[in-house]
Amino acid sequence: APATPCCNSSPATAATARPSPSTSPWPFRASDWEVPESIDYEWVLRTIAENKSKYDVIIVEGILAFDNASLNAQCDLSVFMEISKDTYFERRRLETRWGKDPEWYLKYVWESHLKYGQYPKADFVLSGETEISEAGLQQIIQKIHPAIR
């Protein structure tokens, strides 16, 4: 069976520029993207099911990736990246893809990460404080797909 890992890369992930919920091709329902109700999990699950036979690996990531039990049940492997509050704020203040985010918003995203972005059990827990070692990356690759070397 194809591997379907779920990855939560950081508390501050966004896929693209933010389209309005009514015209979005993405599975977002609301303007507040930091709560589980903003994600159309039925669409995400349907998209995974439609693509499992086409791909060996499907990656699902974001602060809300681990909040839905049905989505978690689809994962063959889970990777969680831990990051400290200080590192999060430092990196977010440097991020300017959509302009400078106000301080209140950075705090709100961090609080949402703490509330919804935690996973009690992950196959791999990585530190977002330092670079991932080659050995650590190889261990993950071997777990995802034994044929990848």
Side-chain angles (χ1 to χ4, degrees):
T4 309
C6 291
C7 300
N8 189 8
S9 60
S10 77
T13 301
T16 64
R18 299 176 181 189
S20 72
S22 63
T23 61
S24 174
W26 301 100
F28 306 112
R29 294 183 177 162
S31 58
D32 181 355
W33 291 28
E34 317 311 331
V35 295
E37 297 78 25
S38 68
I39 304 297
D40 183 348
Y41 285 107
E42 290 177 17
W43 181 90
V44 173
L45 291 165
R46 188 172 53 252
T47 301
I48 290 170
E50 290 169 359
N51 287 284
K52 270 190 161 185
S53 63
K54 297 177 189 176
Y55 302 101
D56 290 335
V57 176
I58 298 173
I59 297 174
V60 179
E61 60 86 31
I63 68 168
L64 302 174
F66 292 126
D67 191 65
N68 183 278
S70 296
L71 180 57
N72 289 328
Q74 294 296 311
C75 297
D76 296 324
L77 174 70
S78 61
V79 179
F80 187 84
M81 184 168 287
E82 294 180 321
I83 189 170
S84 71
K85 183 177 181 179
D86 289 341
T87 299
Y88 159 76
F89 276 96
E90 178 183 324
R91 291 179 184 169
R92 277 307 298 249
R93 287 181 184 120
L94 295 173
E95 172 57 58
T96 58
R97 279 181 285 186
W98 299 293
K100 183 173 170 41
D101 287 327
E103 226 26 56
W104 68 264
Y105 180 71
L106 299 180
K107 290 177 184 174
Y108 180 67
V109 171
W110 179 256
E111 290 167 5
S112 294
H113 163 65
L114 295 177
K115 187 171 183 179
Y116 305 113
Q118 304 301 307
Y119 190 63
K121 177 197 160 288
D123 296 299
F124 291 97
V125 178
L126 306 175
S127 170
E129 303 296 318
T130 60
E131 287 187 29
I132 299 171
S133 70
E134 180 69 27
L137 188 56
Q138 285 298 324
Q139 187 180 19
I140 293 169
I141 290 171
Q142 288 174 1
K143 180 83 172 182
I144 291 173
H145 199 290
I148 297 174
R149 299 276 180 231

